[in-house]
Amino acid sequence: MNETEFIAALRKLPLHPGARGLEDDCAILTIGAETLVITHDMMAEGTHFRPDADLADVAWKLLAANLSDLAAKGAEPVGVLLGHSLGSDDARFLAGLDEALRSLGTVLMGGDTVAATGPSTYGITAIGRATHAPVPSRGGAAAGDGVYVTGPVGRAMLGYEGDPQHLAAFNRPAPRMAEGVALAPYVSAMMDISDGLLLDCWRMAWTSGVTFALAADAVPVADRTRFAECVRWGDDYELLFTAPEAAALPVPAVRIGAVRARGSAPLLLDEPPLADPADLGYRHG
């Protein structure tokens, strides 16, 4: 199975109502007056990081990716659980995790370790506290809304290639935690950009039952000459969101398009319809 097929199969299993039909990045769990936001992300050697990568950077990025999912729900982190494959450089992983926890404002709550052969895989479950109700989802975009991003895409791609100006964007991304909390009361839909701007726009539009009409010239990219790659590569961890035209946004953001009633495809880029998500970004499998 590829990723899409596997998730489709998972949707046939017994699901908690907070799973949101597995169409979002987080589960939502309300207990009394408190709403918890829960997410889990993994990183695999050879897929998400090179075998010779500094494991301190891997630990940082793993935590940042999970916190970015919380940011897209307007949640404040409560703590994290770690799944760790013991290996040859555990000390560097721990050093990076310590730095990331302190810098990104959360704490370790527990987890599990295993000794395994072959490429390493690491996982984190992040638990956050919702700051606004309803908790933003991927599925709330409505015709007439604007489509926005909090910053440029493509920086992680350039960092992966060794561009010194963008190394931190790939190795140690900064999740938009404060922006997510500030935006939560204003947005109609929100998610983070992890698999490429175009693919994530397609997913949000599909889940919302609308069409996103993007203007290529309006999209902020790290390298305009490589626009097609910048909007597909992913790992940017900027926030993608929709909001009513009249919304007075509390943080800087770039309007990249508009939401329309569902047309021939979920996504338009300067009008040509992008109906097939296969070549719009990164997908597993």
Side-chain angles (χ1 to χ4, degrees):
M1 292 185 182
N2 61 29
E3 182 181 30
T4 301
E5 293 167 340
F6 187 76
I7 293 174
L10 288 177
R11 292 192 177 107
K12 299 176 182 178
L13 304 181
L15 297 179
H16 188 279
R20 290 183 163 180
L22 302 183
E23 292 184 336
D24 215 326
D25 294 316
C26 300
I28 310 301
L29 181 62
T30 299
I31 305 174
E34 195 78 82
T35 297
L36 298 179
V37 180
I38 306 168
T39 188
H40 180 84
D41 266 3
M42 298 186 294
M43 291 179 62
E45 180 182 338
T47 299
H48 299 95
F49 60 93
R50 297 184 179 97
D52 61 351
D54 183 350
L55 287 190
D57 290 339
V58 173
W60 177 291
K61 190 170 184 177
L62 176 63
L63 180 62
N66 278 273
L67 295 186
S68 184
D69 282 343
L70 296 187
K73 306 299 125 191
E76 296 174 336
V78 173
V80 301
L81 303 170
L82 172 69
H84 182 81
S85 296
L86 295 170
S88 61
D89 211 357
D90 296 327
R92 284 298 294 161
F93 187 95
L94 290 173
L97 182 61
D98 181 47
E99 187 176 358
L101 289 167
R102 296 178 189 277
S103 298
L104 300 178
T106 191
V107 292
L108 182 66
M109 300 174 68
D112 188 31
T113 56
V114 296
T117 59
S120 296
T121 299
Y122 308 100
I124 277 181
T125 298
I127 303 168
R129 181 186 67 84
T131 62
H132 177 76
V135 177
S137 74
R138 291 185 181 187
D145 288 349
V147 183
Y148 300 86
V149 293
T150 53
V153 296
R155 295 188 303 128
M157 176 188 75
L158 298 178
Y160 174 82
E161 294 173 350
D163 186 328
Q165 296 183 67
H166 299 290
L167 286 175
F170 178 73
N171 292 324
R172 299 201 171 195
R176 303 301 189 192
M177 302 300 298
E179 291 90 338
V181 170
L183 285 166
Y186 299 88
V187 303
S188 51
M190 184 159 61
M191 64 185 292
D192 70 331
I193 302 171
S194 56
D195 293 333
L197 174 66
L198 293 186
L199 181 56
D200 288 333
C201 280
W202 194 97
R203 288 168 169 166
M204 185 182 285
W206 176 265
T207 304
S208 297
V210 296
T211 290
F212 283 13
L214 305 186
D217 288 347
V219 177
V221 293
D223 184 344
R224 183 59 59 177
T225 66
R226 300 177 64 187
F227 177 85
E229 295 168 275
C230 287
V231 296
R232 287 172 169 83
W233 205 84
D235 252 7
D236 293 299
Y237 303 108
E238 297 289 346
L239 295 178
L240 165 68
F241 65 94
T242 58
E245 291 284 356
L249 299 179
V251 300
V254 180
R255 190 180 189 280
I256 62 172
V259 182
R260 299 178 182 175
R262 172 63 59 84
S264 61
L267 183 62
L268 308 176
L269 182 62
D270 289 341
E271 296 306 327
L274 302 176
D276 185 356
D279 66 345
L280 298 183
Y282 180 79
R283 298 198 298 175
H284 293 275

